[in-house]
Amino acid sequence: MTSVATPGLENAPTTHARLLAWVREMAELTTPDQVVWVDGTDEEWERLTQKLVDAGTFTRLEKKPNSFWCASDPSDVARVEDRTFICSVDEADAGPTNNWMAPDEMKSVMTELYRGSMRGRTMYVIPFCMGPVEAENPMFGVELTDSEYVVVSMRVMARIGSRILEAMGTDRPFVPAMHSLGAPLEPGQEDVPWPCSQTKYIVHFPEERAIWSYGSGYGGNALLGKKCYSLRIASAMARDEGWLAEHMLILKLTSPQQKTYYVAAAFPSACGKTNLAMLEPTIPGWRVETLGDDIAWMRFGEDGRLYALNPEYGLFGVAPGTGWDTNPNAMRTIDQGNSVFTNVALTDDGDVWWEGMTDEPPAHLTSWKKQDWTPDSDEPSSHPNSRFCTPITQCPILAPEYEDPKGVPISAILFGGRRKTTIPLVTEARDWNHGVFMGATLSSETTAAATGAVGVVRRDPFAMLPFIGYNAADYFGHWVETGKMHDATKLPRIFYVNWFRRDEDGGFLWPGFGENSRVLKWVIERLEGTAAAEETAVGHVPTPDSLDVSGLDMSEDQVRKALAVDKDEWRQEVPQITEWFEKFGDKLPSTMWDELEILKSRLA
Ligand code: GTP
Ligand code: SPV
Ligand code: MN
């Protein structure tokens, strides 16, 4: 088919042959009105945010500089795990936890969806780099999208634009990340504020290292550098190359003796990573600095230690529950502006509000559904998965090491989930394999970060259930092998935490947030060999005296309940873990069955 030249397709600002050929192919398939190469400048940001304001997608905030309120289509508010696919050549490589379709079949389905899908819109070419572009092997990607919201959000979340395109040269490898809203415009058709399609596909080709996304504008479905590249595709790269791509925050902890430690922690979506990463300790003398709040890429250094790097450039954080008393550093970060707020409420004086920001809600708001809202309204003003999108460089406690391509040496890894019962406040693994078992059996109540039921306990191994880009049993094996291949004395020590245990009245047993510094203190004292622990059936838990609860408004009984290992509760976990492991058949590393046997015998 011949067509008149698409503006922007000729005279591209690069001679990268593979990139040019791919952009041309996708433009010919999706037939946008024009192709625009994203340069990442302030002028471009001005132009695109104004375009979004004019389209009714964005409302400029009076009270925060260069910031915008945005309400999505009510059907497009979270990751869609049932529409997410790992299209490996062999179905067994996707494993029992991922949706799968043969790559050829998926490509023919999606090619028909993409045909003409950008009609009446602009195709933006976003060159991006996950992690510093100064790295030895910069991790390039290029996202094609017909969404201005995606361009603007990608500018916050990743390093993008001309400087990245330049660094890609003529032939550097990159991950092609194709995105379309699936909402073409016919001539004269008026656009809606949040175009999207009822048909959604979030698709990964791990062997090809390619991403195809269709139908959604929501963060994790559309900002393809984040979950799609940095976790699903990167986890497959990491398996092949001997490193780890994980759903983890990274923080720096300084003790009163001025010793510094780096800690990584994997909690499922909406289970406390951003909050822990920015924590303001309540115990004197301790200091936390932030390196990352969602994703850690970890590689072994020449010294045998595991170094973690945050590949992102921004924070895409859960808004509800974020307030001056829970996460003041997040509040300070967004207060500087340059942020996009999606599906929160708008105040009458042009600011944002959400449940948990302040104790007293404003008397009147515009809800995320663009309806009048008062404290008497039946529904919350903000969607439970509403988000702030803000530059990480605005975080007042960002650690300077953040920009170091080499990363930071990790001393401890925490796994954690949201469990009302059973899981103690903190448990230390006996050794690496026991820690891998903790990761592989991690369980949590589902949250609003993905569509579907909320509050249902499920296994979420390593907080990576929706993000492992290959067979989860092979992924467990990769962790076991990682332990075998490296000096055990230099490996991070592994802990399992649960901030969400409840008492009989349904209230949280542990105050959480800044008080979690007490748990971090115990972790560090374990590393230093100064804190006592009790050996239980499930690992080492603090003795009543070794956890610093001084000045905390908590009864001895409450502390005991938060730390308790109840053998009866744990015995109920065993059949669930057995069932979980059986899913994986022969692929499950035998060490996982060995660890389960150890647990069973200790519970007997
Ligand atoms: P994703 O961005 O989805 O990966 O989430 P996340 O793991 O970064 O979770 P985040 O820190 O945004 O917290 C999610 C929700 O849990 C928010 O509503 C927080 O207020 C709440 N939360 C975080 N930490 C704690 C805690 O220590 N105790 C309690 N009770 N709630 C917490
Ligand atoms: C998560 O769901 O774990 C998030 C938000 O961090 S999203 O980018 O949508 O995946
Ligand atoms: Mn996350």
Side-chain angles (χ1 to χ4, degrees), residues 298-580:
M298 303 195 286
R299 292 181 165 86
F300 283 88
E302 278 167 15
D303 60 358
R305 297 194 65 190
L306 186 59
Y307 285 75
L309 169 92
N310 171 16
E312 299 196 277
Y313 207 39
L315 307 166
F316 188 62
V318 176
T322 307
W324 287 102
D325 51 348
T326 55
N327 192 350
N329 286 314
M331 298 301 286
R332 291 178 190 119
T333 307
I334 60 176
D335 260 6
Q336 293 184 54
N338 312 309
S339 303
V340 177
F341 299 88
T342 304
N343 292 336
V344 303
L346 178 68
T347 68
D348 294 348
D349 62 351
D351 205 345
V352 285
W353 192 84
W354 48 73
E355 279 67 26
M357 181 193 276
T358 55
D359 287 342
E360 285 294 313
H364 179 264
L365 294 166
T366 304
S367 77
W368 75 277
K369 290 184 176 168
K370 296 188 174 169
Q371 288 161 359
D372 283 318
W373 187 94
T374 67
D376 294 332
S377 296
D378 295 333
E379 291 186 342
S381 69
S382 304
H383 187 275
N385 191 42
S386 53
R387 300 254 167 185
F388 53 81
C389 179
T390 195
I392 196 170
T393 48
Q394 291 181 187
C395 176
I397 58 161
L398 187 70
E401 300 90 315
Y402 165 76
E403 293 284 359
D404 188 345
K406 158 166 126 285
V408 293
I410 298 296
S411 295
I413 291 175
L414 317 185
F415 295 120
R418 198 181 266 275
R419 286 293 304 269
K420 292 188 174 71
T421 66
T422 318
I423 313 293
L425 178 63
V426 57
T427 314
E428 183 186 358
R430 292 184 307 274
D431 54 28
W432 181 265
N433 278 348
H434 183 218
V436 175
F437 176 80
M438 286 176 168
T441 59
L442 200 158
S443 56
S444 196
E445 292 146 23
T446 51
T447 67
T451 55
V454 168
V456 181
V457 175
R458 69 173 184 184
R459 298 291 136 187
D460 191 339
F462 295 77
M464 283 284 282
L465 179 69
F467 308 123
I468 301 173
Y470 58 103
N471 190 310
D474 290 338
Y475 168 95
F476 304 159
H478 182 53
W479 269 80
V480 172
E481 283 308 307
T482 299
K484 274 195 205 145
M485 280 171 54
H486 295 93
D487 180 349
T489 64
K490 291 180 179 168
L491 288 171
R493 298 254 288 269
I494 299 178
F495 298 78
Y496 191 173
V497 301
N498 178 21
W499 316 142
F500 300 95
R501 206 171 187 178
R502 310 280 185 132
D503 58 24
E504 301 81 18
D505 308 327
F508 290 114
L509 273 166
W510 180 251
F513 302 104
E515 305 296 1
N516 293 334
S517 55
R518 298 168 187 275
V519 173
L520 292 179
K521 178 183 173 185
W522 185 79
V523 165
I524 298 310
E525 289 175 349
R526 289 296 294 164
L527 302 180
E528 292 180 342
T530 55
E534 184 186 334
E535 183 161 7
T536 75
V538 301
H540 296 95
V541 300
T543 58
D545 304 332
S546 64
L547 185 71
D548 181 353
V549 291
S550 56
L552 199 57
D553 181 25
M554 236 178 125
S555 70
E556 255 174 59
D557 188 48
Q558 256 183 310
V559 176
R560 196 181 48 72
K561 282 181 179 156
L563 292 171
V565 175
D566 181 327
K567 284 194 173 181
D568 284 333
E569 283 182 333
W570 274 97
R571 282 187 199 110
Q572 292 171 36
E573 291 286 300
V574 170
Q576 296 172 32
I577 294 172
T578 307
E579 195 187 326
W580 166 241

